[in-house]
Each structure stands twice: as C-alpha cells, then as structure tokens.
Amino acid sequence: MDRASQVSGTGDFNVVFIGAGNIMFGSDEGPWNHSFRFEHKLGPRLKVVALIDPAIERATAVLQKKCETFVRSAYENTRVYKTLEDFVRNMNKNQMPRAVIVGSPPMFRGTLQPGRDIESQILKYFPGVAMFIEKPAATGPASEIPEAFAVAKKINESGTICSVGYMLRYLKAVQMMKQIIEENNLTVMATIARYACAYEAIAKPDWWDKSKSAGPIVEQGTHFCDLSRYFGGEVDMDTVNAHSLEWDEHAGQLSKMQIDESKIAPENRIPRVTAATWKYENGAVGSFTHLVALQGQNYSCELEVYADGYQLKLVNPYVQPVLYIRRPGSDLEEMHTFPDDDPFFSEISVLIDNIEDIEEDPDTAQILSSFEDACKTYELTWAIQLAAERNRKLKKDKQAAAAATVSA
C-alpha cells in the first residue's frame, strides 16, 4: 500500500462515513480500518464531510483523534450527525458526497424497514452516488432474506456503483488461484473450507448471542462461505446440510471465555462447531467447518480448491496468506507468499477507480462483490445455520422420545 500511486483524479473527493466503530476506524481485534485505506488512496483529496452515528460522543472522539494526526485536512470540517436524514437536512451543495461508506452494524441495514434501510436511504437522497457496504448484507432473521434481495434489486436497477466488503476476494493469492483455474480451463470439483477462531480474544458479548449477531456462521464464517462460492459457483440451497456441537454438550465446554455466558439466554448461545456440506449447481461439492475452539490470538483458516490434477490450498488469508499449489505431473507442492498484500486497500482502491472512471488505465480492476452476490452468500450462511438447528432439534426430539419410552 505504501508504494501505491494516488488516484489520478483531481479536486476534493467528498465521502460520508456511516458508523464510527471498529470497522471504520480500527481496533486491536484485527486489520479492519476503512478510513485508513481511504486516507492512503486519496491523500489530501479526501474530505469526510459527515460522520453518521447515533453515538455522538464516540464519533466526536474518533474525529478528534484524527485531527491530531497528519490527516487533519480530511476531518477538520467533518460534521457529526445521528442519522443520514439529519445530514441531508443540514448539508450544502459543496458537501455532496461522491461515495457513502456504510460500516454500521449489519442488524441495522440490508432490509426495507424504516431504521434498517440505509441502502434505500442513500439511493433516495443521493441517486447515482457510489456505495461501499460492509459485509454481511444483514443479520436479521432468516425470514428477512427476501428483503435483502429486494434491496439488491433496487441497487441494480438504479445503476449505482456498489461494492460489498468481501475483501478476501481481492487477495493476490485468491486472484492467482482464479487465474490458474481460468488459464487451464479447469472445472472446480470441490471446495473445502475451515475457519477456527481464537475465542479467548473475543470479548464482545453480542458476538456470543445469536439473537444479536445471528451466530458465527452468518457473522464470521461468511467470508469463507463467500470464498467457497467465488470458486465453486452457485449453491443448490436444497442440498445444504449441517451439524453442530453445542454449548450444552460435553465436548462444547470452553475454559477461557472472556464473557459471562450465563447472562445469555440458553437458546441464544452459539454453537462451538458447525460442519456443513452442499452441492454446487454444476455438480461440485462444498464443505465448511467453523470452530470456536482455539485460545490465544491467532485464528487458523484454510481453503482448499480441487480440480482435475490440481490442488490449490490457501492458508492464513487474514494475516500472511500462503498459497500451496500441486499441479498435474508432480506430487510436490509449490509455496507462494504475498508479503505486504492488503486486500482492504485493494477493494477501496478498486472502488475509487471505478467511481473516477479511469478508463485510460487498462488494469483498473472490476468490483468483485456486488450487493446481489453478497445476498447469495448471506443466503448460504443462513441455510447452514438453519440446517444445523434442524438437526439439533431432531436429536433432542429423539432423545426426549427415548427418555419417555424408558420412563414408560
């Protein structure tokens, strides 16, 4: 990123940030920090005209920190508002944004319902203005999935540039995998994904509460479900099956949780392991295992993609991606590393380039995740969670029936 050239456009580039939390301004929990990437992409052109967040004090505090740094010019005139409507009522023509960046919690977006319809509000107040939406599309109940697709339809029909933050698609390792598949005219046979999080480092109570986060598959495993789809294609949702290890089973006892799970209703406590399988529409097979199992700080994540004669294995994509390739005619694995690759910067850079319409640059990349595509990943994550819950209920019903027979 430090060697990236600034975009070739000129003049101020007005941006509205929605959300003043970790996604937008960073934290110790991970590399998420959209403001940092915008600062490096646009340099002194960046002007954040508004920061929208109901938590006015928090928003004001993060702006103050920014104004104490070398990027002061981007934030010294930023105004804080509780809602987008407040900004619209008070804005002048010089504050018209060229992009709106949505990093608010997913339970407050992705639907058509008032207060949870930020995408529709942006389309209404700023027609034609580009959007960046953090993943996942939403985290409401599964019954609201059709609403997310309705939002996607509105965005598509408006012709608005829209990118969703599935940043792992932008990894150089992932694009190298795509290139190998395309250049060799391969058909993917299977995808195998595994995501083991370091639960000891997760101290946010809402994450452990399905009623607030929608569970680890929907909220966290979504990136690997998305990468699986990116390589395997569309999923036959009727084939999705899953099983889970739950909090109340012996193997599901965790010794180093940083939150008090007794404060969470039993029915809302998250599973410790979820293992899913499915068929892609082209006949290939997919699988995903998510584990709340590791301690310490580092996660353990891998994705394997198989095609005739080929094994492509992506390891540790969040921190230091390594790609192992086994090709036809050899039993050996090639190892490729990608130092200093920042997919967060790449997705923001691509967004800006598309907004600026830099047609003279033939290497200007396409946006890799549309809102509609993100909805399909969202649908898959819910299908996995619902399948696991169905199988858990079947097991409990069977146990109850057996107990009733014994007592009789």
Side-chain angles (χ1 to χ4, degrees):
M1 185 172 67
D2 61 327
R3 292 187 294 274
S5 59
Q6 276 186 22
V7 71
S8 60
T10 59
D12 290 347
F13 193 104
N14 289 350
V15 173
V16 170
F17 285 163
I18 298 178
N22 297 345
I23 288 292
M24 204 70 81
F25 292 100
S27 73
D28 294 333
E29 291 184 12
W32 302 270
N33 188 334
H34 291 316
S35 62
F36 177 72
R37 275 72 180 195
F38 273 91
E39 291 155 14
H40 281 261
K41 175 65 176 178
L42 290 166
R45 296 183 61 208
L46 175 64
K47 297 293 181 282
V48 180
V49 293
L51 176 57
I52 315 295
D53 197 302
I56 296 291
E57 288 186 8
R58 178 177 64 179
T60 303
V62 295
L63 284 179
Q64 181 60 41
K65 286 183 180 179
K66 287 289 189 183
C67 287
E68 294 169 357
T69 70
F70 71 98
V71 294
R72 175 185 177 89
S73 65
Y75 300 95
E76 60 187 349
N77 295 313
T78 306
R79 297 291 176 261
V80 177
Y81 298 96
K82 283 189 174 183
T83 68
L84 187 65
E85 291 154 321
D86 289 344
F87 168 58
V88 172
R89 278 195 297 268
N90 290 279
M91 67 176 284
N92 60 52
K93 64 179 181 179
N94 294 326
Q95 294 173 315
M96 174 61 72
R98 297 193 66 186
V100 180
I101 315 306
V102 180
S104 54
M107 67 280 295
F108 297 119
R109 47 184 170 80
T111 78
L112 299 174
Q113 302 166 37
R116 298 174 58 209
D117 62 343
I118 192 64
E119 302 88 353
S120 296
Q121 289 183 47
I122 294 167
L123 292 173
K124 173 184 174 182
Y125 295 126
F126 305 113
V129 172
M131 291 187 280
F132 177 87
I133 313 290
E134 192 43 62
K135 63 78 203 167
T139 52
S143 59
E144 292 178 353
I145 290 174
E147 286 193 48
F149 279 100
V151 172
K153 186 170 184 286
K154 288 179 70 172
I155 293 172
N156 288 344
E157 290 176 348
S158 73
T160 300
I161 293 173
C162 181
S163 173
V164 178
Y166 282 108
M167 77 288 175
L168 295 183
R169 293 188 177 206
Y170 294 85
L171 282 169
K172 292 177 181 176
V174 168
Q175 289 307 308
M176 185 175 181
M177 294 165 73
K178 273 284 191 181
Q179 185 178 5
I180 290 169
I181 290 169
E182 290 170 3
E183 287 181 350
N184 293 281
N185 197 28
L186 301 175
T187 299
V188 171
M189 300 168 65
T191 64
I192 302 171
R194 175 180 55 76
Y195 188 120
C197 74
Y199 75 86
E200 184 183 9
I202 303 175
K204 186 172 156 186
D206 285 4
W207 188 86
W208 296 85
D209 187 333
K210 286 193 293 189
S211 69
K212 295 178 179 176
S213 69
I217 294 291
V218 174
E219 194 273 345
Q220 188 178 72
T222 184
H223 277 296
F224 270 52
C225 290
D226 186 71
L227 273 188
S228 299
R229 287 187 54 253
Y230 191 49
F231 288 102
E234 300 306 334
V235 175
D236 180 350
M237 294 296 172
D238 292 335
T239 66
V240 176
N241 196 17
H243 296 275
S244 61
L245 167 66
E246 296 291 334
W247 64 274
D248 56 352
E249 297 180 281
H250 178 67
Q253 306 304 304
L254 299 176
S255 60
K256 289 215 169 181
M257 292 174 62
Q258 297 300 305
I259 62 113
D260 182 358
E261 198 173 36
S262 68
K263 294 181 179 178
I264 300 172
E267 66 271 17
N268 292 330
R269 296 174 192 174
I270 65 169
R272 301 339 190 192
V273 180
T274 305
T277 59
W278 60 82
K279 288 275 286 182
Y280 292 102
E281 289 182 356
N282 69 354
V285 176
S287 70
F288 176 49
T289 300
H290 181 282
L291 305 98
V292 182
L294 300 181
Q295 298 174 6
Q297 296 289 325
N298 292 335
Y299 290 22
S300 175
C301 303
E302 295 185 6
L303 172 71
E304 296 177 80
V305 178
Y306 290 87
D308 186 20
Y310 287 83
Q311 178 193 49
L312 309 175
K313 182 165 66 175
L314 175 65
V315 178
N316 200 18
Y318 287 98
V319 185
Q320 288 293 337
V322 180
L323 177 59
Y324 296 93
I325 303 172
R326 175 171 166 173
R327 301 176 187 268
S330 175
D331 295 337
L332 301 177
E333 284 188 334
E334 306 166 14
M335 184 178 79
H336 299 263
T337 58
F338 306 84
D340 302 322
D341 186 21
D342 182 353
F344 293 95
F345 179 76
S346 297
E347 69 178 353
I348 294 303
S349 181
V350 167
L351 173 72
I352 300 296
D353 288 351
N354 277 267
I355 294 170
E356 299 271 56
D357 193 22
I358 304 177
E359 295 178 352
E360 66 270 17
D361 182 0
D363 295 324
T364 297
Q366 290 186 333
I367 290 169
L368 299 179
S369 181
S370 68
F371 198 90
E372 182 178 18
D373 199 64
C375 287
K376 293 176 182 177
T377 293
Y378 183 51
E379 185 179 30
L380 173 59
T381 58
W382 260 116
I384 291 170
Q385 179 157 314
L386 292 174
E389 290 175 355
R390 281 195 302 271
N391 282 324
R392 173 172 164 77
K393 184 177 185 303
L394 284 173
K395 180 182 178 182
K396 281 187 169 293
D397 290 347
K398 191 179 294 184
Q399 289 173 335
T405 301
V406 170
S407 63

